[in-house]
Amino acid sequence: MKRISAAVALTAVGALVISGCAADGGGNSGDDSGLVEGSSITAAWNQAFFSMNGNTSFGNATANNNINYLVLDGFNYYNNTPELVQNTSFGSYELVSEDPLTVTYTVNEGMNWSDGTPIDAADLMLYWAAESRALDTPDFDPNDFIDPETGEFTEAFPADVVFFDSGATPTSGLGLVSETPVIGEDGRSVTITYDQPFVDWELTFATMGEMLPAHIVAKKALGLDDNEEAKTALLDAIENADDAALAPISAFWNSGFNFTEMPDDPELVTASGPYMISDYVADQFVTLTANPEYNGDNAPSIEEITIRFIPDPLAAVQALENGEVDIIQPQATADITTALDGIDGITVDTSLGGTYEHVDLQFDLGKNPENIFSNPLVREAFMKTIPRQEIVTSLIEPIIGDDAIVRNSQIFVPGAEGYDESVAANGSDAYADVDIAGAQALLAQSGITDTSVCILYASNNPRRVNEFALIQASANQAGFNVTDCGSEEWGGLLGTPGAYDAALFGWQSTSLGVTNSLPTFETGGINNLNSYSSPAVDEIVSKLNVEFDEQKKIDLQIDLDTQLWADFYGVTIFQFPEVTAISDRVTNVTSSILAPTVFWNAWDWEVTDAGAEE
């Protein structure tokens, strides 16, 4: 869940991420066709890349993770079934003990970063330190050091503080691994021991798209030149809990991989996956080139993939029709589906995806001087004004017809086991229709004098512009003064104190784990962007983390869903319709309901004979 083609039922580790002939699902499975030199294709995405670290509160966005997935290798990934695939050509993991929960992760011998440096225990240990936050300075609050204009940390961030911005909490995931891992004698493995059982343990450690090069982090943070010396210094810092070294290491891990054009320092794009970033022109495109050091099973056929950033869906369709791009997955509108119907030489798939639209309300640190949504009466009033059915009827139904429905759960996907039962119990029916009179009464009762609500959304996304206009018109009837905080840089601003009062965006599922959505709602979770904190919710989360019984998991999720609606957390609106259009000059392209959707098997893509003849 920061910073979003076949319809399947999902249960709602990893976190959600902020949105935007078939392959066999397991890499190229011994396919010996090899890399086709000089081959290239272009795909389009609706938001520009801005960070090679998708594990921070700033960088956790689909626009980043689509690319990071292809440049950073890991222990497993989801195919488009969807099912979890162990990436055994990269490494392996073994459940050593269930009590205490103990797992050993081993990187295969001969796996290297793109600069030739071996991938080994130093990389695994940095991943643990960052994703567990076990070595962080206690009780440090970073909110005073976030730039409200960009969402990034300011230069005033204290240099002596150890703070990894991964959103780890001590109640879930690697936050439960407080004991420093044990490095194996081979120097390529670590054994981690959990403080208590964790139901989604298989999804917590270095899945594809996540693990950064430890030697690069240590070189930049500690002013070193030699790769092996840097790795040794990093391991010493972690194993000795050396705050003086860990402070700059954590600071570089947090921000050192943020860039919006090709960095001057080529070491910042050091890769371990089948591709590496070879070019980046600000706001225009990122080019990925086959990584010559990659020797895993997911070796690519196409030498170069360029991802163009085209926020306007109709412009993406036009680029596809003109032959400027080969693959698009734009936000779907009726105009988009109509336009695609008129193009020859393409394949189009339209279905429900794994992303859902919603409105978050800032419980604290909003833009309104009275911190308007800290008041539950105002939250309830605003929720009553959001025209959910009108949005679905006017913007989504023309695309997918009867499949367009209002989503009435914060936790369950429509059609998933538990969804109907939860909707019947969770209290979402109170917001089935707009209630202006009810909102006016609550607003008057609240005592709020400044009713301004600034909504953050993607200002360059036509559908979001229309949604904002509908919400603004409805809420203003009840006495709110809805203002426009729309921005093309909306993704980096999510969670930034003082930047907005409400946010309109999508969460995209990254896994099938039962804990997938929990970092959005638990206190301090990486996707908790609105300062929401509920002891009741935290208690449910702690139970879900250790519950292995399937029916009890569903019951707990229903309890969680009910509590979120009772707290006036915000409203869900709809499940995204997903449109994928593919030129006939590229084959083996299929989409997954989970992130990274259409990019999940880019290593299997091939340029067709038709493409070669052009």
Side-chain angles (χ1 to χ4, degrees), residues 21-250:
C21 302
D24 63 14
N28 60 23
S29 301
D31 186 308
D32 59 2
S33 60
L35 186 70
V36 178
E37 292 187 11
S39 58
S40 65
I41 66 146
T42 301
W45 197 253
N46 61 19
Q47 184 185 0
F49 177 87
F50 57 91
S51 179
M52 212 172 95
N53 188 352
N55 293 317
T56 66
S57 62
F58 176 79
N60 180 25
T62 299
N64 297 325
N65 293 336
N66 288 342
I67 292 170
N68 295 336
Y69 174 85
L70 296 175
V71 302
L72 298 172
D73 213 357
F75 288 102
N76 55 35
Y77 62 95
Y78 276 96
N79 64 19
N80 67 332
T81 301
E83 61 188 0
L84 191 66
V85 177
Q86 291 193 31
N87 189 15
T88 55
S89 68
F90 172 78
S92 61
Y93 49 93
E94 177 187 4
L95 181 62
V96 177
S97 167
E98 292 184 351
D99 186 19
L101 179 61
T102 307
V103 188
T104 297
Y105 290 86
T106 304
V107 177
N108 292 341
E109 189 172 6
M111 301 305 292
N112 295 330
W113 292 98
S114 55
D115 62 0
T117 303
I119 304 171
D120 59 21
D123 303 296
L124 304 179
M125 290 293 279
L126 174 60
Y127 187 86
W128 165 78
E131 295 297 320
S132 71
R133 296 183 56 205
L135 303 175
D136 277 18
T137 301
D139 303 321
F140 172 71
D141 184 356
N143 281 328
D144 291 338
F145 307 100
I146 299 177
D147 185 338
E149 298 297 321
T150 66
E152 295 188 82
F153 291 130
T154 67
E155 293 183 1
F157 195 97
D160 59 348
V161 164
V162 180
F163 178 75
F164 287 98
D165 183 31
S166 66
T169 65
T171 59
S172 63
L174 288 185
L176 291 168
V177 184
S178 60
E179 180 181 327
T180 302
V182 177
I183 298 176
E185 292 183 2
D186 56 15
R188 294 178 283 103
S189 63
V190 298
T191 297
I192 65 174
T193 302
Y194 286 78
D195 302 332
Q196 66 184 50
F198 183 66
V199 62
D200 286 330
W201 65 268
E202 199 170 1
L203 304 174
T204 64
F205 200 94
T207 60
M208 279 180 56
E210 296 187 350
M211 190 169 67
L212 294 165
H215 64 291
I216 301 299
V217 173
K219 283 170 69 175
K220 307 305 175 185
L222 303 177
L224 301 173
D225 295 321
D226 181 77
N227 291 341
E228 292 303 319
E229 181 185 358
K231 288 198 284 189
T232 299
L234 181 137
L235 288 173
D236 287 345
I238 291 174
E239 294 184 313
N240 297 318
D242 180 359
D243 288 354
L246 287 171
I249 287 171
S250 65

Side-chain angles (χ1 to χ4, degrees), residues 260-539:
T260 55
E261 61 184 354
M262 194 65 184
D264 293 334
D265 184 351
E267 291 192 318
L268 297 182
V269 294
T270 302
S272 56
Y275 285 96
M276 57 188 296
I277 296 173
S278 57
D279 194 14
Y280 182 9
V281 175
D283 297 321
Q284 294 187 38
F285 63 83
V286 161
T287 297
L288 306 179
T289 301
N291 177 3
E293 287 287 336
Y294 179 78
N295 60 8
D297 285 348
N298 297 329
S301 165
I302 298 174
E303 185 172 32
E304 186 176 277
I305 297 175
T306 295
I307 301 173
R308 280 185 55 187
F309 309 127
I310 308 178
D312 186 333
L314 282 173
V317 172
Q318 187 64 59
L320 180 68
E321 185 172 17
N322 293 345
E324 299 166 9
V325 301
D326 303 294
I327 301 168
I328 65 172
Q329 198 171 69
Q331 284 216 355
T333 66
D335 289 343
I336 293 301
T337 55
T338 300
L340 288 171
D341 286 341
I343 303 176
D344 294 328
I346 65 170
T347 300
V348 180
D349 175 50
T350 302
S351 55
L352 285 177
T355 302
Y356 69 93
E357 192 83 328
H358 72 294
V359 174
D360 272 1
L361 307 179
Q362 287 296 97
F363 281 62
D364 192 16
L365 305 174
K367 187 179 182 70
N368 181 298
E370 293 186 44
N371 203 22
I372 188 169
F373 289 132
S374 63
N375 187 319
L377 294 173
V378 183
R379 295 199 301 273
E380 183 181 5
F382 192 74
M383 288 168 58
K384 284 180 176 291
T385 71
I386 297 178
R388 303 163 71 213
Q389 185 61 59
E390 182 181 5
I391 290 171
V392 170
T393 300
S394 62
L395 300 180
I396 309 303
E397 194 171 299
I399 308 169
I400 54 175
D402 292 342
D403 287 335
I405 60 172
V406 173
R407 171 167 164 156
N408 287 309
S409 172
Q410 299 278 5
I411 304 299
F412 296 95
V413 174
E417 184 179 4
Y419 176 82
D420 291 340
E421 186 180 356
S422 188
V423 170
N426 64 20
S428 60
D429 56 346
Y431 311 98
D433 300 306
V434 170
D435 180 6
I436 298 299
Q440 289 172 330
L442 288 165
L443 199 55
Q445 185 182 348
S446 72
I448 287 288
T449 58
D450 185 340
T451 63
S452 61
V453 175
C454 203
I455 299 181
L456 175 67
Y457 65 96
S459 60
N460 55 355
N461 182 307
R463 188 167 75 198
R464 293 256 168 79
V465 171
N466 289 331
E467 289 180 66
F468 167 77
L470 291 171
I471 293 170
Q472 181 183 46
S474 180
N476 285 357
Q477 291 181 47
F480 287 99
N481 175 26
V482 174
T483 59
D484 192 336
C485 270
S487 170
E488 294 185 12
E489 309 301 325
W490 64 275
L493 292 172
L494 283 169
T496 300
Y500 60 94
D501 301 301
L504 172 67
F505 66 102
W507 279 130
Q508 184 173 50
S509 296
T510 62
S511 82
L512 299 184
V514 68
T515 59
N516 180 61
S517 63
L518 302 189
T520 302
F521 308 116
E522 66 178 329
T523 302
I526 187 172
N527 294 329
N528 189 329
L529 307 175
N530 55 348
S531 302
Y532 174 68
S533 182
S534 162
V537 164
D538 289 345
E539 177 64 21

